[in-house]
Structure formats: C-alpha cells, structure tokens
C-alpha cells in the first residue's frame, strides 16, 4: 500500500512539474534594455532537449549538447550553454511577441510562455563621459519590489548585489580593488553611485533586476568613459575672468543642471522648459555671470577676492547624475606666488572641512525675482517643503519637472497622490499634510533633485511657490567606508 501511495505521489509530481500546463509570464521592457528568459534548469544534461520558439517559429534548440539556431534568430539573442536561458539584448519593438519554451528529458516535458513587449521610452542614452575625480550615479529609474534581486556587474564581474527578500546586501572592490570605498547602492531604486571616479573605472556596467522566482531578468546597461582630468582647483587674478567647465559638449533636452556657490543657487538650466536662469541678482555676482547655453559652463567676469570658494555643479541626466566640485582662488595681482599658494591651501582645507561636515542645508533667497527656496540634502535623508499659510478651501497642486504628483481640492478632501508618474520615482514616498499642504519625501535619492512647484488656487487667483531641491551624493573621506561597504 505504501509503495503504491509513493508511486502515485511521484506520478502526481511528474504531472505537476512536467505536465502540459502552460505558464504565461508577462515581460515588459523599455526599448534598448535587455531581458533574460529563464529555463530554471541548473545545468543541461545530455538527455535534455530545450527548444525556443518565437511566435510559433523555432529559433533555437539545444539537444545532445549541441546548439542549433534557425529562422528569425538574430545576433541580439544569446543562449546560455549551461542553462538554456535566452537573453534578448537591446530590445526593439520587432522583438515583441510570444516566446515559448519547451523542456524535454527522460522524466517528461514542460512548457512555459513569455509574452515580451518592447515599450518605447526615453532611456536611449546609455553612454556617459565623466571627468576624473567626479562622482556619477547610474540611475536605474525603477522602484525595487519586495522580492526583487538586483545585481550590478562591471566588465561581467559582480560588484554589488541586494536581495530585498532576504535582506542580503553586499558590494565588492572589483578587479584589482579598483572600487574600494567607491560604491554605494540605493536600496530603494537600485541606483549605483561611483565616487572619486578614475580612468580604471571606464567600461561596461550592467544592472540585472530579477524576481526571486527567477522567471525573468531585466537588464539595464551603461557605458562609462572617464576622460582626462579637469582641474578641480582654479586660480585667477583679480579682475580677470574664469570659466567653470561642465565637461559636456552639449546639453540634452531633459538635462537638469544646478550651479551653487556655498549654499546659494547662482544658476539653473532645464532645457526641456527652455529655462536658462542666472541668479545674478545676488549682490556678490551682480551682472558678472555668463552661462553657456550649449554646454552649461559658467563664466565669472571681473573676478573679486570674495568670489573665491567652492563651486558645485549637479547634472541630472535621465540615466545619470554627475556631481562636480571646483575650488576657485582669486589672488591680488600684487601677491607673491608663495602667498597665492598659501591662500590655495587654506581654501582647499576649508572646502574639505565643509564637505565633510555638511549634512543638510536650507537657504531662502529672498532677493531673487523668481522667489525660489533652495534646499540641499544628502541622499538617504528626508526633506520637507513647507508652503506659506494655506487656507482650508485653497486648491493645491504639487508639480515636479512639469508633472503633477499630488493635488488637493480642499483640506477636508485631502490629497490625491499621483506617484506613478515620471516612471514611479516617488512610488510610496510622497507624504502630504492635508491641512498645511506640506510635502515630505523620505529616504531621498539623486533622482528627486529638481524644481518643485506648489500652485495655490484661491478665489480664482493662482499663486506659485517654488523650491529647488538638490540631493547630493555623500562623498566620504578616502578611508571612510560608504554605506553598504563590508
């Protein structure tokens, strides 16, 4: 009786695992990204036969240890010889369709169907050029789900991994320890930050996002080029001009750039809205700032000694965020070279102390015509945007980069949240006070940098309150480990 029961259970197991049931998995990928469809076979045996079909046409078969491709199989499709997994690279709309997997062996057979669609998007820019010494964030532009696993690879070597389900988190120094104390992984979005970048960090990076069930993996790739060193310290004689370079040849449509001096915004560029703003109403730089509309470089004319200090540039690109720091010294034409060197040393020491000690800045610029409150915060921290007095019946609308992220008809009705816009960068993060209208975003990342606008509609009249938020990568001292380092 026992033997019969065990036999029956074994047959039931075979039916469940190798039966005719066809499991359909939906895979949606932004055009230009890649996807791997998993067989869940650990290692192909000589008796195994694995067949892949696209829209009914056979494109590949693995049998007896040999691989044969045919039909509409293209170079962008790659088969893993060990597992039979199919990787579709650089997905196009023509790659959309039904991918059917058949696995046969001595124990039976199984089938699985993947419905793959290439979604048109704006993620086409995959290459970035970074100057030596800058930091760069490779933005995943996604929100990691509870059971997601993310793995970052550099030149096909694993350098960082985070499993949200198990809580495992690790980073690697990489080949030749080239990434030592330089990697930071955002636990919410999976974005990877590389600080103090150098030539040896140039190369191909790939992020893989997969469910713990291993049905499929979405890949995002980046090609990083680290070019010749741009001076992070500039010296100029009083009365001359100095240009702070961005390192870009041309600003792209969706690039968002912010120049700061200390904790004061002095220039802003957002090409999508044709906004090239110089805040030279600030007394220190009145009529002496010039912004290059093609590259974003900033020129200070007729320099004065009080112009000396630390200038910071943040460039938010769709897939990247770049942070630059440039220290400027302005010397009296009559000073000796030794005196100038002394000033440089003092200023650099001051800049280093400021960078290490600052965690959170807020500075209200009442003199600006645009009346913009500016806020600076290091990623991982939270910030709150507080409007002026708001009445109970005021209609409120919070905007970010031209998109509505939250709206309120009245205090009694509360806020309607639109956190799915802008590829979900605010998913589950928007906290709004229905009474005061204040907006709080916890656990920030660099993707939350930009211009926030609160539109207040009262008695048929509209007033606007603006906030410019800069979320910076926290760059530690050389021997200080970053979050996530062992």
């Amino acid at each position: 009786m026992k033997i019969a029961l065990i036999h029956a259970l074994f047959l039931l197991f075979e039916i469940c695992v190798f039966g005719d049931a066809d499991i359909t998995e939906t895979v949606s990928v932004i055009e230009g990204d890649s996807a791997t469809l998993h067989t869940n076979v650990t290692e192909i045996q000589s008796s195994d036969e694995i067949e892949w079909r696209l829209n009914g046409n056979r494109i590949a078969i693995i049998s007896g240890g040999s691989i044969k491709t045919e039909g509409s199989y293209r170079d962008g499709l790659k088969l893993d010889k060990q597992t039979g997994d199919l990787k579709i690279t650089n997905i196009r709309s023509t790659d959309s369709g039904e991918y059917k997997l058949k696995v046969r062996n001595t124990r039976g057979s199984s089938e699985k169907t993947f419905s793959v669609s290439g979604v048109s998007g704006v993620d086409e820019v995959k290459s970035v050029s970074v100057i030596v010494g800058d930091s760069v964030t490779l933005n995943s532009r996604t929100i990691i789900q509870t059971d997601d696993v993310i793995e970052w690879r550099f030149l096909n070597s694993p350098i960082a991994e985070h499993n949200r389900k198990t809580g495992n988190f690790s980073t690697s120094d990489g080949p030749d320890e080239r990434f030592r104390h330089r990697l930071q992984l955002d636990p919410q979005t999976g974005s990877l930050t590389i600080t103090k970048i150098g030539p040896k960090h140039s190369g191909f990076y790939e992020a893989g996002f997969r469910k713990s069930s291993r049905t499929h993996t979405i890949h995002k790739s980046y090609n990083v080029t680290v070019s010749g060193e741009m001076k992070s310290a500039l010296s100029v004689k009083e009365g001359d001009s100095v240009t702070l370079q961005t390192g870009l040849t041309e600003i792209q449509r969706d690039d968002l750039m912010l120049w700061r001096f200390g904790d004061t915004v002095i220039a802003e560029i957002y090409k999508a809205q044709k906004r090239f703003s110089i805040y030279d109403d600030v007394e220190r730089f009145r009529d002496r700032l010039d912004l290059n509309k093609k590259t974003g470089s900033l020129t200070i004319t007729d320099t004065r000694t009080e112009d000396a200090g630390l200038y910071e540039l943040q460039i938010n690109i769709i897939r990247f965020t770049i942070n630059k720091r440039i220290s400027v010294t302005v010397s009296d034409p009559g000073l000796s070279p030794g005196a100038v060197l002394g000033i440089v040393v003092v200023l650099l020491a001051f800049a280093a102390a400021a960078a290490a000690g600052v965690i959170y800045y807020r500075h209200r610029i009442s003199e600006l015509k645009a009346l913009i409150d500016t806020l600076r915060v290091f990623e991982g921290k939270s910030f709150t945007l507080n409007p002026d007095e708001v009445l109970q019946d005021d209609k409120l609308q919070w905007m970010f980069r031209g998109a509505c992220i939250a709206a309120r008809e009245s205090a009694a009705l509360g806020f309607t949240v639109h956190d799915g816009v802008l590829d979900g960068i605010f998913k589950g993060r928007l906290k709004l006070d229905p009474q005061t209208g204040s907006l709080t975003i916890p656990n920030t990342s660099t993707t939350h940098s930009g211009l926030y606008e609160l539109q207040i509609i009262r008695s048929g009249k509209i007033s606007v309150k603006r906030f410019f938020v800069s979320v910076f990568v926290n760059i530690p001292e050389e021997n200080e480990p970053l979050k996530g380092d062992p």
Side-chain angles (χ1 to χ4, degrees), residues 12-31:
L12 180 61
F13 173 79
E14 280 193 323
I15 292 171
C16 291
V17 178
F18 299 106
D20 293 328
D22 192 357
I23 303 170
T24 301
E25 181 76 19
T26 301
V27 183
S28 182
V29 190
I30 294 176
E31 286 187 8

Side-chain angles (χ1 to χ4, degrees), residues 343-362:
I343 293 173
V344 171
V345 172
V346 171
L347 283 172
L348 288 178
F350 174 79
V358 173
I359 295 179
Y360 179 87
Y361 285 92
R362 183 173 182 177

Side-chain angles (χ1 to χ4, degrees), residues 306-423:
E306 59 263 32
D307 298 336
L310 184 67
Y311 293 78
E312 295 179 283
L313 169 66
Q314 183 173 12
I315 308 173
N316 292 291
I317 305 173
I318 292 174
R319 281 212 172 192
F320 310 99
T321 300
I322 300 173
N323 291 283
K324 298 176 180 290
R325 287 187 173 102
I326 303 175
S327 179
V328 175
T329 60
V330 182
S331 60
D332 188 308
L335 288 178
S336 66
V340 173
L341 179 61
I343 293 173
V344 171
V345 172
V346 171
L347 283 172
L348 288 178
F350 174 79
V358 173
I359 295 179
Y360 179 87
Y361 285 92
R362 183 173 182 177
H363 183 75
R364 184 181 180 91
I365 309 173
S366 59
E367 299 92 344
L368 299 182
K369 291 178 181 177
L371 195 62
I372 298 179
D373 277 8
T374 63
L375 203 68
R376 170 176 171 164
V377 61
F378 282 133
E379 62 179 351
K381 303 296 182 180
S382 65
F383 65 81
T384 299
L385 307 181
N386 294 308
D388 295 331
E389 184 179 358
V390 171
L391 302 181
Q392 295 291 304
D393 295 329
D394 287 347
K395 293 183 178 180
L396 308 178
Q397 184 169 267
W398 277 102
M399 308 288 293
F400 179 70
R401 297 188 188 175
C404 177
I405 57 177
R408 189 197 85 172
E409 287 295 319
S410 68
L413 295 175
F415 274 97
T416 300
V417 176
H418 306 291
D419 58 3
V421 300
L422 302 171
D423 295 322

